[in-house]
Amino acid sequence: MLQATPLTEGWTLRHEGDALPAAVPGCVHTDLLAAGVIPDPFLGRNETEVAWVGRRDWTYERELPATNGHEQADLVFDGLDTVAEILLDGRVLGRTRNMHRAHRFDVTGLSGRLSVRFVSAYAEAEAVRGKVGERPGAYAEPFQYLRKMACSFGWDWGPTLVTAGMWRPVRLERWSTARIARVRPVVTVEDGLGRVELAVEVERTRVEAPLVVEARVGGERARAEIDGTAGTVRLQVPRPRLWWPRGYGEQPLYDVELTLLHEDRELDVWRRRIGFRTVELDRRADEHGSGFTLVVNGERLFARGVNWIPDDPFPSRITRERYRERLRQAAGAGVDLVRVWGGGIYESEDFYDACDELGLLVWQDFPFACAAYPEEQPLRGEVEAEARENVVRLMPHPSLVLWNGNNENLWGFRDWGWEPRLAGDSWGEGYYLGVLPRVVAELDPTRPYTAGSPWSGSWEHHPNDPAHGTHHSWDVWNREDYAEYRATVPRFVAEFGWQAPPAYATLRRALPGGELAADSPGMLHHQKADDGNGKLRRGLERHFAFPEGDFDRWHYLTQVNQARAVAAGIEHWRSHWPRCAGTVVWQLNDCWPVTSWAAIDGDGREKPLYHELRRVYADRLLTLRGRALVVVNQAAEEWTGAVRLRRMSVEGAVIGEAEVGFRAGRRAVAEVAVARELEPVGAKEFLVADADGLRAVHFPAPDRDIPYPRPEFDVSVAPGAVTVTARTLVRDLLLQADRLDPEARADRGLVTLLPGERVTIGVSGWRTPDPDAVRSALFCMEPHR
């Protein structure tokens, strides 16, 4: 039987002649941090103090344990970041140049001092650039010249921390006769029958040995012979329970076990979990253009999505528990689709396992983003090899429903001035329209592939044409008011978003000492977007009087603006289902403390946007659009009822009201006309719609023009709860629980109360309830100062 020995202990890292203890999996930065050689790059402006790390070469060393006792011994690296030379007592075993692949080296009968030497990623990228020529990109750093996590080189939300190291497990595998090299599971469902086809490849030490594979799944068993180094075993599971996205059904998973046998002696075992479901991507043309609708088990979906970035600049620090916490947060916000963005990595099995269990659909980008990528060697061969490895590695996961060729590169070629600069040089089109669709079609024919995001489906249309395929909406954040989201109805919005700073306690930890200010050196260092603070200011000034010199008010208003902006887009686009078939918010998470588009900040704290997503991504939603109330019902049951419409003054008087019945079918949208006499007029009036505990509020004027009354409310405090009772209109009330205690969390975000209404906010992690502290942690709209 194959024996695997983890090689996690006993490593050292060479630094200026010294040998520092090293953790594997890990990276140079985390080892230097643990040894006290570098400061925490997340704090203050320390990021710049550690930039030298990415410019150095590094060596890891340890003794290789005995390799005897079997016919073959392999040294296996699941992930080397990135350009490495592997030596044993000075003898070169091999070289690597791809972070996204595993590597295996024959060490049969060998022993001695094992060294893994990493070349600076900068040096390698610059060498490749010198060989293949300059290629344009959205950022100056040379990430497109090597197969490494692009955002290691910084992004408009991330630090520049160029890593090196053994970022995934290392082990010694010893085996005899044969081992399982690869299993490619093709899982299909047809006419109530689940089919599992396991294509098996083996590696042998003895060519003549007869081999058999035996597989089992769902109580069914099957056997097949191995002809040379390959074979296929097929199983059928009658009436399998279908795997569904969250909100559409359950997520049953089936254990699959495949055993390699020689004369009934077990040689190796492969185990995974699978789910039975079908997935299609409907891109048919219609009167609006051409669609982009995911269909799972025959059910057409409006995808309620978020974009996912690597949750840490040092991915080896992301534990199974951390993946699950972050993805449970996503599910708790009503999310049913997570897009793994192309500037990051193929995530670990822990990520996809959690998505399988939580019913989160996964849209997986291949790792290409925001640059022209050379198609010459040494990159081309690495791209195909990594694609083949990772497609097969991730195939068992029912949550994975879409392969995407790249992020914004087709768009960049057309609109960002790349085409004339390239002058005919390769830029990645051959990957996105050639290599990658061929690999997916050959290895994973059950899943759809799209060439990029955004992508209109062909060069006949602009790559970012909202009427065709996927669309990225960034003109709004960069240049316009978020009201402009309502000007178009894209077929599928794969990226859009609005910035806000992280939670107060996160900023306090990241920027210790002194007073916080929006334009302080520390705050500006933790704002990576081009003119980010300028865009935040202009976005505020369209709606509010800018709070000059008042950091607390600036912090609150930017959080409000972020939540309102994203909600404006989602409410509008959901109201146009099925023409628009999905929104994927940029972004769910942050990898460090930073002002960004995230709903969950770099310390894992939920911003008001997170709670707003819970509202606008719920199965049922009310939204006011022009002279209509739109009733959005994504539930499996019909929704019927009556909506109470009230035209009100900001002083709290009801100017007019009506009760109107509605009926929205399952997974459908319905409209209710708003009578003209209920339409609010001027800045002193607003419209409220209530039905089944849900509310929509429409103020026709920007906040800066609304004569809000001075908010008056009563506050009562009990263990784990804060209750606020309004005596006036209280708009966008927010309890920033982390101001009470860094560990405290509130269970809701922004809430608008009419006079006489109350809300109870659950608060966890609050050690010493203090009514006076609660008052200072509550924010809402106030009269202009």
Side-chain angles (χ1 to χ4, degrees), residues 53-58 83 118-125 146 162 164:
V53 176
R55 297 281 181 181
R56 297 273 186 94
D57 298 345
W58 299 93
V83 182
F118 289 95
V119 175
S120 162
Y122 279 110
E124 168 70 7
L146 73 169
V162 180

Side-chain angles (χ1 to χ4, degrees), residues 277-320:
R277 56 102 185 95
T278 64
V279 59
E280 305 166 70
L281 182 59
D282 186 351
R283 292 184 261 205
R284 289 176 295 179
D286 57 25
E287 69 272 25
H288 303 295
S290 47
F292 195 92
T293 304
L294 283 165
V295 185
V296 178
N297 298 329
E299 186 83 62
R300 300 172 68 82
L301 312 179
F302 181 96
R304 293 168 280 188
V306 287
N307 282 275
W308 170 275
I309 65 169
D311 206 49
D312 198 305
F314 312 130
S316 59
R317 298 201 300 198
I318 310 174
T319 62
R320 182 178 182 85

Side-chain angles (χ1 to χ4, degrees), residues 19 178 219 239 308 319 406 449 467 516 538 669 778:
R239 298 178 299 280
W308 170 275
T319 62
N406 75 88
Y449 170 88
L516 293 173
R538 290 189 290 277
V669 173
L778 283 168

Side-chain angles (χ1 to χ4, degrees), residues 162-441:
V162 180
T163 51
M166 291 169 277
W167 73 291
R168 281 183 168 162
V170 183
R171 63 188 176 277
L172 180 66
E173 288 188 358
R174 292 173 291 173
W175 52 279
S176 298
T177 307
R179 72 172 186 89
I180 298 171
R182 187 174 83 162
V183 178
R184 186 171 63 86
V186 178
V187 181
T188 56
V189 185
E190 189 175 353
D191 297 329
L193 188 66
R195 293 184 171 88
V196 182
E197 180 179 289
L198 303 172
V200 186
E201 297 176 13
V202 302
E203 183 181 354
R204 291 173 173 266
T205 60
R206 288 184 273 164
V207 176
E208 74 285 355
L211 299 176
V212 171
V213 285
E214 182 176 274
R216 65 174 182 83
V217 57
E220 305 297 320
R221 292 179 179 271
R223 289 168 65 98
E225 294 183 358
I226 297 293
D227 182 11
T229 59
T232 302
V233 58
R234 297 176 176 86
L235 302 96
Q236 294 186 347
V237 178
R239 298 178 299 280
R241 297 173 59 213
L242 295 182
W243 184 96
W244 288 93
R246 62 170 301 280
Y248 289 82
E250 297 180 347
Q251 294 80 42
L253 298 168
Y254 289 75
D255 292 319
V256 179
E257 182 175 280
L258 183 140
T259 306
L260 178 65
L261 301 163
H262 169 57
E263 296 177 347
D264 292 328
R265 179 169 61 91
E266 291 188 2
L267 301 177
D268 199 358
V269 177
W270 178 90
R271 297 183 180 91
R272 296 292 187 277
R273 291 186 307 172
I274 62 168
F276 291 97
R277 56 102 185 95
T278 64
V279 59
E280 305 166 70
L281 182 59
D282 186 351
R283 292 184 261 205
R284 289 176 295 179
D286 57 25
E287 69 272 25
H288 303 295
S290 47
F292 195 92
T293 304
L294 283 165
V295 185
V296 178
N297 298 329
E299 186 83 62
R300 300 172 68 82
L301 312 179
F302 181 96
R304 293 168 280 188
V306 287
N307 282 275
W308 170 275
I309 65 169
D311 206 49
D312 198 305
F314 312 130
S316 59
R317 298 201 300 198
I318 310 174
T319 62
R320 182 178 182 85
E321 292 72 26
R322 182 163 158 188
Y323 274 124
R324 288 176 180 274
E325 176 189 5
R326 202 66 72 243
L327 291 167
R328 277 195 293 265
Q329 286 175 300
V335 168
D336 58 23
L337 181 142
V338 178
R339 176 191 172 208
V340 181
W341 166 76
I345 57 177
Y346 308 94
E347 296 287 347
S348 82
E349 296 294 333
D350 295 331
F351 174 91
Y352 304 95
D353 285 345
C355 290
D356 290 343
E357 295 165 14
L358 292 167
L360 293 171
L361 301 172
V362 176
W363 159 334
Q364 177 70 52
D365 281 13
F366 286 97
F368 301 89
C370 299
Y373 283 76
E375 297 177 40
E376 292 79 17
Q377 298 295 8
L379 292 170
R380 188 178 184 88
E382 289 291 344
V383 166
E384 178 152 356
E386 88 178 42
R388 288 183 169 277
E389 178 178 320
N390 285 284
V391 166
V392 172
R393 177 173 73 89
L394 300 182
M395 281 177 66
H397 296 283
S399 57
L400 178 59
V401 295
L402 181 67
W403 291 104
N404 176 50
N406 75 88
N407 176 74
E408 298 189 343
N409 293 344
L410 296 159
W411 182 20
F413 177 76
R414 179 54 51 88
D415 271 6
W416 299 351
W418 294 0
E419 190 169 4
R421 291 173 60 188
L422 286 163
D425 286 343
S426 66
W427 57 275
E429 183 182 27
Y431 298 145
Y432 319 134
L433 299 179
V435 173
L436 298 176
R438 171 171 54 80
V439 168
V440 172

